Amino acid sequence: MQGDTAGVVARRIPGRPGRKGSGADEDVDGRTLSWALRVAGVLLGCTTAAAGLLAFLLAGVALGPFLLWPHTRPGAFGVLMAGARRLAGLERNRRSFFFGDRFPEHYESCDRKVLRYLAVRGSTGLLCGVVIGLLGIGAVLAGLLVRGAVQGSLRWGELLTQSLLGGVLLFLGLQGLRSLVALDSRLARESFGPSEQELLQRRIDELAVSRAAVVQAVDAERRRIERDIHDGIQQRLVALAMLLGRARRGRDPEQADALLLQAHQESRDVLAELREVAWRVYPSALDDLGLEEALGGVAERCGVPVRTEFTVQGPLPRPVETAAYFVVSETVTNAAKHSGATAVSVRVLLDNQVLTVRVRDNGRGGADPAGVGLSGLRSRVDALDGALHIDSPEGGPTMVTAELPCV
Amino acid sequence: MRLMLAEDSTLLREGLVRLLVEEGHEVLASFGDAVSLLHGMETRQPDVVVLDIRMPPTHTTEGLRAALEIRERWPETGVLVLSQHIERHYAAQLLASGAERVGYLLKDRVAQVDEFLEALERVRAGGAALDPEVVRQLVIRSTHGDPLGRLTPRERSVLEPLAQGLTNTAIARRLHISVSAVEKNLNAIFDKLELSRTTGHSRRILAVLRYLES
């Protein structure tokens, strides 16, 4: 099972498959970064690229022989990588500071990615420097042209052709600069965070895991249902049939009467048990009356007082309702059975298309998230791309929170 | 007879105890799991032990393992195992060490009080009691389609109670025919199925079962 947040993070970071736009266009804390910062960042980028290439060149010359020798290769490569990671870290900070990019905190890029980044980044940074230099030369030439025009030393035809040519070159230079800035941003995003392919791979892994878990959860539920039927209903029916059998064999009518009376009572108990089991298998009220009513049923059946706060307006997707119901019924049952709680509170609220279900009890805690019931719940919630948090320290209180996206 | 019971459902256990006491049997003790049953057997042995296959802690085959242990350690005590579902290999394991003092019944059979008590008597008397359902499955799944097909309807109707472990007299009573008619049919069956004319009650059951299983 994956960590609670891994999937959520992967689904929320910028650069997610299908999402347009670059990290540099993101707002930070709601305010757009000033142009000055960006320009400074681009200029600094050119410098760091040149410095990086120089560092690589020097390191390559110094470490080259050691890298070629098989015995010393791992050590030399380690030294090279340590330097490379430091350089990459500098670039990462430059992106964060000047452009406001945000990268996943705990993401560790692989060696190949870091080296590739530095190599590509070095060349694009240098190219960026060349383009800026060309733009500078263009500005000087434009100044000369203007001065010539003002002094009248230029003929009109010459001025026109020069302006046209300068305009085209200016356009190309600006276009090149813009593309290089965008490329820089994309490179950083792909290198300091998961690439689209990695995100897809991670999603596929998640889905494979949750799919397997769903199958397991279904099997576990079936086993529980079978046990409910066998240990409860069937035993009662056999006992009932035995009572009737005894009544038939009974020697005196009085005893037979007493046995029949018992059998009658037993048959009513069997019916009650059957209703209970059927309800545990699937609460039909969920379909007929909706989640709020079904949760009311859970509270009524629980031996411990349950306070339910339900603030959802409008309909919810059926799978989300079902999952929310089972989260509540399972945790409330656990609280009543194992925790020694004297009060349970249930909150269900919808916020920003996410249904949050929170169950708290004042019991002694120590719930095992790996237990059959709770891991089954986790599978149910994972299957809907949700997250289940179980907080149950020894000594209590226990709080179980499920977040279920309603999309 | 003197009995011990092991059954995890309190309701059913109590019901069984009452039933057996009403029938004039003596229930020495009743237990909720196999471990305490074996512990109880250490001190005194009843004539027959009735026990459920599925018992705590794992609810799988605790009862079956206890039954096999009882058969090995106290061969004089009969064992009647009650099972949730009919599993041929459970029956086969029980009968592996002979068909004396052993029974394997579907749990629901307890509800048919007469049949249950009759099976109990058979086990106590040193015979075997196999649930009709087991025998039916064996007959259905038997690989010997042809020889079974050679039996007359009457012979086939004798074959089933025979495989269940009934004596000639009991078969005669069940089918409402004379004991000599049963014997005649049995001889025909043993000839047609090419089974040796085994004497002895348990040996002939085993012969039939082996034939059906092979």
Side-chain angles (χ1 to χ4, degrees), chain A residues 226-227 230-232 234-239 241-242 244-246 248-249 251 255 259 262 266, chain B residues 7-9 11-12 15-16 18-19 22-23 52 54 59 84-85 107-108 110-111 113-114 117:
Chain A
E226 194 269 344
R227 282 280 295 277
H230 166 251
D231 293 347
Q234 197 192 5
Q235 310 282 26
R236 282 184 175 281
L237 282 172
V238 173
M242 256 169 46
L244 293 170
R246 279 165 59 201
R248 282 182 59 195
R249 289 173 75 91
R251 316 265 182 298
Q255 192 202 13
L259 285 169
Q262 269 189 55
E266 188 55 45
Chain B
E7 157 65 58
D8 56 317
S9 157
L11 190 74
L12 206 55
L16 270 171
R18 293 257 174 91
L19 168 71
E22 274 170 26
E23 291 298 323
D52 184 4
R54 262 170 53 151
H59 292 271
Q84 178 63 24
H85 307 287
K107 199 169 192 172
D108 305 357
V110 175
V113 177
D114 301 354
L117 292 169

Side-chain angles (χ1 to χ4, degrees), chain A residues 171-203:
Chain A
F171 169 77
L172 287 177
L174 289 175
Q175 184 58 43
L177 188 63
R178 186 161 169 256
S179 303
L180 284 166
V181 169
L183 179 64
D184 185 42
S185 152
R186 208 182 75 203
L187 261 181
R189 206 175 52 234
E190 294 234 330
S191 305
F192 302 136
S195 65
E196 297 205 351
Q197 196 171 356
E198 278 179 57
L199 281 173
L200 284 172
Q201 187 57 51
R202 194 184 290 185
R203 188 79 183 114

Side-chain angles (χ1 to χ4, degrees), chain B residues 37-63:
Chain B
L37 165 73
L38 289 170
H39 199 70
M41 289 280 298
E42 304 276 0
T43 46
R44 52 187 177 161
Q45 292 81 44
D47 301 323
V48 179
V49 175
V50 180
L51 73 172
D52 184 4
I53 280 199
R54 262 170 53 151
M55 278 193 283
T58 65
H59 292 271
T60 49
T61 55
E62 281 82 354

Side-chain angles (χ1 to χ4, degrees), chain B residues 59-200:
Chain B
H59 292 271
T60 49
T61 55
E62 281 82 354
L64 183 70
R65 286 202 299 274
L68 294 173
E69 189 172 330
I70 291 169
R71 295 204 73 191
E72 197 175 317
R73 289 175 62 186
W74 300 287
E76 290 308 304
T77 295
V79 172
L80 178 57
V81 178
L82 302 176
S83 175
Q84 178 63 24
H85 307 287
I86 284 302
E87 293 285 355
R88 280 193 324 164
H89 62 271
Y90 291 167
Q93 270 179 296
L94 269 173
L95 293 165
S97 52
E100 286 95 9
R101 295 188 189 79
V102 62
Y104 180 73
L105 293 186
L106 200 57
K107 199 169 192 172
D108 305 357
R109 204 62 61 190
V110 175
Q112 282 147 328
V113 177
D114 301 354
E115 275 187 53
F116 171 66
L117 292 169
E118 197 184 308
L120 206 54
E121 285 297 345
R122 282 213 300 279
V123 172
R124 204 267 303 254
L130 271 189
D131 198 279
E133 196 53 42
V134 183
V135 175
R136 209 156 297 146
Q137 281 192 18
L138 285 173
V139 171
I140 289 168
R141 293 195 207 172
S142 173
T143 46
H144 305 273
D146 287 343
L148 281 180
R150 287 211 302 271
L151 299 182
T152 62
R154 166 64 71 203
E155 286 160 357
R156 291 191 65 143
S157 66
V158 172
L159 180 75
E160 288 204 7
L162 167 73
Q164 282 171 37
L166 269 66
T167 56
N168 290 4
T169 329
I171 297 173
R173 224 184 11 245
R174 182 179 289 191
L175 300 177
H176 308 294
I177 53 178
S178 68
V179 177
S180 63
V182 171
E183 279 167 3
K184 200 170 64 131
N185 276 302
L186 284 184
N187 290 338
I189 289 171
F190 280 92
D191 283 342
K192 284 182 182 173
L193 301 186
E194 293 156 19
L195 295 167
S196 56
R197 293 279 179 88
T198 45
T199 49

